[in-house]
Protein backbone atom coordinates (compact mmCIF):
# COMPACT_ATOMS: atom_id res chain seq x y z
CA UNK A 1 0.00 0.00 0.00
CA UNK A 2 1.37 3.39 -1.01
CA UNK A 3 1.83 5.74 1.94
CA UNK A 4 0.32 9.18 2.14
CA UNK A 5 2.27 12.08 0.73
CA UNK A 6 3.72 14.21 3.50
CA UNK A 7 3.46 17.98 3.74
CA UNK A 8 5.58 20.02 6.15
CA UNK A 9 3.81 23.22 7.21
CA UNK A 10 6.13 25.95 8.49
CA UNK A 11 4.26 28.95 9.92
CA UNK A 12 4.55 30.81 13.22
CA UNK A 13 0.82 31.57 13.18
CA UNK A 14 -0.66 28.51 14.89
CA UNK A 15 -4.20 29.20 13.69
CA UNK A 16 -3.17 29.44 10.03
CA UNK A 17 -0.96 26.36 10.31
CA UNK A 18 -3.76 24.31 11.88
CA UNK A 19 -6.24 25.47 9.25
CA UNK A 20 -3.87 24.49 6.41
CA UNK A 21 -3.30 21.13 8.06
CA UNK A 22 -7.04 20.55 8.36
CA UNK A 23 -7.64 21.16 4.64
CA UNK A 24 -4.70 19.00 3.58
CA UNK A 25 -5.66 16.18 5.93
CA UNK A 26 -9.13 16.13 4.36
CA UNK A 27 -7.36 15.59 1.03
CA UNK A 28 -5.57 12.55 2.50
CA UNK A 29 -2.17 14.16 3.02
CA UNK A 30 -0.09 13.52 6.12
CA UNK A 31 0.98 16.80 7.71
CA UNK A 32 3.48 18.05 10.25
CA UNK A 33 3.48 21.57 11.70
CA UNK A 34 6.49 23.52 12.95
CA UNK A 35 6.61 27.18 13.91
CA UNK A 36 10.20 28.33 13.34
CA UNK A 37 13.09 27.95 10.93
CA UNK A 38 15.30 25.74 13.07
CA UNK A 39 12.50 23.26 13.65
CA UNK A 40 11.78 23.30 9.91
CA UNK A 41 15.34 22.29 9.04
CA UNK A 42 15.25 19.47 11.58
CA UNK A 43 11.88 18.28 10.29
CA UNK A 44 13.20 18.11 6.73
CA UNK A 45 15.43 15.27 7.87
CA UNK A 46 13.19 13.53 10.38
CA UNK A 47 9.84 13.90 8.60
CA UNK A 48 11.20 13.73 4.99
CA UNK A 49 8.31 15.70 3.47
CA UNK A 50 7.22 15.42 -0.15
CA UNK A 51 6.50 19.15 -0.15
CA UNK A 52 7.09 22.12 2.16
CA UNK A 53 4.71 25.03 2.73
CA UNK A 54 7.06 27.72 4.01
CA UNK A 55 6.14 31.06 5.55
CA UNK A 56 8.63 33.87 4.97
CA UNK A 57 8.27 35.69 8.27
CA UNK A 58 9.56 33.27 10.89
CA UNK A 59 11.25 33.85 14.25
CA UNK A 60 14.99 33.21 14.26
CA UNK A 61 15.87 31.77 10.87
CA UNK A 62 13.53 33.32 8.32
CA UNK A 63 11.90 31.55 5.39
CA UNK A 64 14.47 32.72 2.86
CA UNK A 65 17.32 31.21 4.88
CA UNK A 66 15.38 27.98 5.38
CA UNK A 67 14.91 27.82 1.61
CA UNK A 68 18.64 28.34 1.03
CA UNK A 69 19.55 25.61 3.51
CA UNK A 70 17.06 23.10 2.09
CA UNK A 71 18.29 23.73 -1.46
CA UNK A 72 21.87 22.86 -0.50
CA UNK A 73 20.74 19.34 0.37
CA UNK A 74 17.55 18.50 -1.49
CA UNK A 75 15.18 19.50 -4.28
CA UNK A 76 12.04 19.03 -2.19
CA UNK A 77 9.24 21.14 -3.73
CA UNK A 78 8.64 24.34 -1.75
CA UNK A 79 5.67 26.68 -1.89
CA UNK A 80 6.32 29.96 -0.08
CA UNK A 81 3.56 31.63 1.91
CA UNK A 82 3.69 35.33 2.70
CA UNK A 83 1.65 38.44 3.30
CA UNK A 84 4.33 40.25 1.29
CA UNK A 85 2.95 40.75 -2.19
CA UNK A 86 5.72 42.83 -3.74
CA UNK A 87 7.32 41.57 -6.95
CA UNK A 88 10.76 41.72 -5.29
CA UNK A 89 9.74 39.19 -2.64
CA UNK A 90 8.26 36.83 -5.20
CA UNK A 91 11.28 37.03 -7.49
CA UNK A 92 13.71 36.55 -4.61
CA UNK A 93 11.85 33.45 -3.47
CA UNK A 94 11.89 32.02 -7.00
CA UNK A 95 15.57 32.85 -7.47
CA UNK A 96 16.41 31.00 -4.26
CA UNK A 97 14.63 27.91 -5.57
CA UNK A 98 10.97 28.13 -4.53
CA UNK A 99 8.52 26.37 -6.85
CA UNK A 100 5.54 28.61 -6.21
CA UNK A 101 4.53 31.63 -4.13
CA UNK A 102 1.15 32.13 -2.48
CA UNK A 103 0.08 35.41 -0.95
CA UNK A 104 -1.82 35.62 2.33
CA UNK A 105 -4.73 35.65 2.78
CA UNK A 106 -5.26 32.76 0.40
CA UNK A 107 -8.22 30.64 -0.63
CA UNK A 108 -7.94 27.19 0.88
CA UNK A 109 -9.10 25.45 -2.30
CA UNK A 110 -6.53 27.31 -4.36
CA UNK A 111 -3.75 26.38 -1.94
CA UNK A 112 -4.69 22.70 -2.04
CA UNK A 113 -4.87 22.86 -5.86
CA UNK A 114 -1.37 24.36 -6.00
CA UNK A 115 0.00 21.70 -3.67
CA UNK A 116 -1.45 18.97 -5.87
CA UNK A 117 -0.18 20.63 -9.04
CA UNK A 118 3.39 20.95 -7.73
CA UNK A 119 3.39 17.36 -6.47
CA UNK A 120 2.17 16.12 -9.84
CA UNK A 121 5.02 17.92 -11.57
CA UNK A 122 7.60 16.51 -9.20
CA UNK A 123 6.40 12.96 -9.11
CA UNK A 124 9.48 10.79 -9.37
CA UNK A 125 9.88 8.19 -12.05
CA UNK A 126 9.85 4.84 -10.25
CA UNK A 127 9.82 2.37 -13.13
CA UNK A 128 13.01 1.75 -15.07
CA UNK A 129 12.40 3.12 -18.58
CA UNK A 130 13.20 1.17 -21.71
CA UNK A 131 16.22 2.23 -23.75
CA UNK A 132 14.04 3.59 -26.53
CA UNK A 133 12.12 5.69 -24.03
CA UNK A 134 15.40 7.02 -22.65
CA UNK A 135 16.49 8.09 -26.11
CA UNK A 136 13.21 9.92 -26.63
CA UNK A 137 13.76 11.90 -23.44
CA UNK A 138 17.38 12.93 -23.96
CA UNK A 139 18.92 15.69 -26.06
CA UNK A 140 22.63 15.94 -26.81
CA UNK A 141 24.73 18.81 -28.07
CA UNK A 142 28.48 19.42 -27.92
CA UNK A 143 29.35 19.76 -24.19
CA UNK A 144 25.70 19.38 -23.12
CA UNK A 145 23.45 16.39 -22.40
CA UNK A 146 19.99 16.90 -20.91
CA UNK A 147 18.19 13.72 -19.87
CA UNK A 148 14.61 14.09 -18.69
CA UNK A 149 14.29 10.37 -17.96
CA UNK A 150 16.69 10.39 -15.03
CA UNK A 151 16.63 14.19 -14.56
CA UNK A 152 20.32 14.74 -15.19
CA UNK A 153 22.34 17.46 -16.91
CA UNK A 154 25.92 16.89 -18.04
CA UNK A 155 27.81 20.05 -19.01
CA UNK A 156 31.45 19.95 -20.09
CA UNK A 157 31.62 16.35 -18.89
CA UNK A 158 30.44 17.18 -15.37
CA UNK A 159 27.08 16.68 -13.68
CA UNK A 160 25.14 19.88 -12.97
CA UNK A 161 22.53 20.03 -10.21
CA UNK A 162 19.26 21.49 -11.45
CA UNK A 163 15.83 21.55 -9.82
CA UNK A 164 13.21 19.72 -11.94
CA UNK A 165 11.58 22.86 -13.28
CA UNK A 166 14.89 24.28 -14.54
CA UNK A 167 15.77 20.97 -16.19
CA UNK A 168 12.35 20.63 -17.78
CA UNK A 169 12.56 24.15 -19.18
CA UNK A 170 16.06 23.57 -20.58
CA UNK A 171 15.02 20.22 -22.07
CA UNK A 172 11.89 21.65 -23.67
CA UNK A 173 13.83 24.44 -25.38
CA UNK A 174 16.74 22.18 -26.41
CA UNK A 175 14.57 19.48 -27.96
CA UNK A 176 13.11 22.07 -30.38
CA UNK A 177 16.15 24.10 -31.44
CA UNK A 178 15.83 27.48 -33.18
CA UNK A 179 12.14 27.78 -32.40
CA UNK A 180 10.97 30.84 -30.50
CA UNK A 181 8.60 30.31 -27.57
CA UNK A 182 6.78 33.11 -25.80
CA UNK A 183 6.89 33.29 -22.03
CA UNK A 184 3.20 32.42 -21.94
CA UNK A 185 3.82 29.28 -24.02
CA UNK A 186 6.64 28.21 -21.73
CA UNK A 187 4.48 28.76 -18.65
CA UNK A 188 1.78 26.58 -20.18
CA UNK A 189 4.15 23.83 -21.33
CA UNK A 190 6.34 23.61 -18.23
CA UNK A 191 4.17 24.79 -15.36
CA UNK A 192 0.83 23.72 -16.77
CA UNK A 193 -2.49 25.45 -17.29
CA UNK A 194 -3.29 25.30 -13.59
CA UNK A 195 -0.28 27.43 -12.66
CA UNK A 196 -1.29 30.82 -11.35
CA UNK A 197 1.72 33.04 -11.82
CA UNK A 198 3.31 35.69 -14.00
CA UNK A 199 5.77 35.43 -16.87
CA UNK A 200 8.61 36.69 -14.67
CA UNK A 201 8.79 33.11 -13.39
CA UNK A 202 10.20 32.05 -16.77
CA UNK A 203 12.80 34.85 -16.71
CA UNK A 204 13.98 33.82 -13.25
CA UNK A 205 14.42 30.18 -14.26
CA UNK A 206 16.26 31.11 -17.48
CA UNK A 207 18.61 33.29 -15.43
CA UNK A 208 19.38 30.39 -13.07
CA UNK A 209 20.00 28.00 -15.98
CA UNK A 210 22.43 30.44 -17.57
CA UNK A 211 24.33 30.74 -14.31
CA UNK A 212 24.89 26.97 -14.31
CA UNK A 213 25.73 26.37 -17.96
CA UNK A 214 27.88 29.00 -19.68
CA UNK A 215 27.10 28.98 -23.40
CA UNK A 216 29.88 31.41 -24.30
CA UNK A 217 31.65 30.18 -27.41
CA UNK A 218 29.41 27.11 -27.71
CA UNK A 219 27.68 25.88 -30.84
CA UNK A 220 24.41 26.53 -29.04
CA UNK A 221 22.98 29.12 -26.69
CA UNK A 222 19.78 30.16 -24.96
CA UNK A 223 18.80 33.34 -26.78
CA UNK A 224 16.49 36.05 -25.52
CA UNK A 225 14.08 37.32 -28.15
CA UNK A 226 13.29 40.73 -26.71
CA UNK A 227 9.62 41.41 -26.23
CA UNK A 228 8.73 37.84 -27.17
CA UNK A 229 10.48 35.04 -25.26
CA UNK A 230 13.34 32.57 -25.69
CA UNK A 231 14.81 30.01 -28.04
CA UNK A 232 17.57 27.42 -27.92
CA UNK A 233 19.72 28.61 -30.79
CA UNK A 234 21.97 26.17 -32.60
CA UNK A 235 24.58 27.59 -34.96
CA UNK A 236 25.19 26.26 -38.42
Amino acid sequence: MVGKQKILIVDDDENIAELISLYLTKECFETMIVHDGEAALLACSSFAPNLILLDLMLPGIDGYQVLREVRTKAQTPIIMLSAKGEVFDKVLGLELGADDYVEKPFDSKELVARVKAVLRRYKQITASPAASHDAENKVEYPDLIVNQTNYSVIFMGKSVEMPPKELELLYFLAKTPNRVFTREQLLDKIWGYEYVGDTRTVDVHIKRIREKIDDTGKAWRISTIWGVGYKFEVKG
Side-chain angles (χ1 to χ4, degrees):
M1 180 177 179
V2 178
K4 293 182 179 180
Q5 290 184 297
K6 298 186 288 186
I7 311 295
L8 176 62
I9 303 165
V10 188
D11 199 312
D12 62 339
D13 188 317
E14 295 185 13
N15 292 328
I16 290 178
E18 291 290 347
L19 186 61
I20 293 173
S21 178
L22 176 63
Y23 284 117
L24 291 173
T25 300
K26 286 182 178 179
E27 296 293 329
C28 296
F29 291 104
E30 179 182 350
T31 65
M32 178 178 182
I33 297 173
V34 295
H35 301 298
D36 61 73
E38 290 186 7
L41 293 175
L42 291 173
C44 285
S45 298
S46 61
F47 184 58
N50 297 103
L51 181 142
I52 302 170
L53 289 172
L54 178 62
D55 186 32
L56 286 181
M57 306 301 291
L58 297 171
I61 303 174
D62 67 16
Y64 290 123
Q65 187 59 36
V66 171
L67 177 53
R68 290 189 187 96
E69 293 291 333
V70 171
R71 281 291 172 262
T72 64
K73 301 175 182 178
Q75 298 303 329
T76 306
I78 297 174
I79 299 177
M80 302 204 79
L81 307 174
S82 178
K84 293 183 175 183
E86 289 80 4
V87 172
F88 170 80
D89 297 300
K90 295 180 180 179
V91 171
L92 178 57
L94 292 169
E95 286 183 336
L96 292 175
D99 299 281
D100 203 350
Y101 188 109
V102 179
E103 291 181 36
K104 295 178 179 179
F106 47 78
D107 180 82
S108 58
K109 291 182 179 179
E110 179 186 348
L111 179 63
V112 171
R114 288 189 184 224
V115 167
K116 290 181 177 180
V118 171
L119 285 171
R120 280 198 300 270
R121 296 197 302 263
Y122 283 80
K123 185 177 182 180
Q124 295 182 350
I125 300 173
T126 55
S128 298
S132 59
H133 180 73
D134 180 76
E136 292 173 358
N137 289 278
K138 180 169 67 175
V139 292
E140 296 188 44
Y141 293 94
D143 298 321
L144 179 67
I145 301 173
V146 185
N147 191 324
Q148 194 171 251
T149 297
N150 60 14
Y151 274 71
S152 67
V153 176
I154 306 297
F155 176 62
M156 301 288 287
K158 296 181 179 180
S159 179
V160 177
E161 291 294 327
M162 277 193 187
K165 279 274 107 22
E166 290 178 27
L167 186 146
E168 290 167 15
L169 178 57
L170 175 60
Y171 173 81
F172 180 76
L173 289 170
K175 77 173 182 177
T176 316
N178 298 319
R179 177 178 171 182
V180 178
F181 292 95
T182 66
R183 291 170 175 82
E184 289 79 9
Q185 287 175 319
L186 293 172
L187 271 177
D188 180 62
K189 294 292 185 180
I190 307 303
W191 281 265
Y193 71 90
E194 72 271 85
Y195 180 76
V196 182
D198 57 50
T199 55
R200 187 67 187 273
T201 300
V202 176
D203 298 333
V204 169
H205 281 72
I206 290 290
K207 176 176 180 287
R208 282 158 41 186
I209 292 170
R210 285 170 168 164
E211 289 171 350
K212 295 173 182 178
I213 56 170
D214 183 5
D215 57 17
T216 304
K218 303 298 181 188
W220 48 266
R221 66 174 181 171
I222 300 173
S223 298
T224 301
I225 311 302
W226 297 107
V228 182
Y230 299 95
K231 72 175 178 177
F232 190 89
E233 184 177 355
V234 178
K235 302 173 184 177

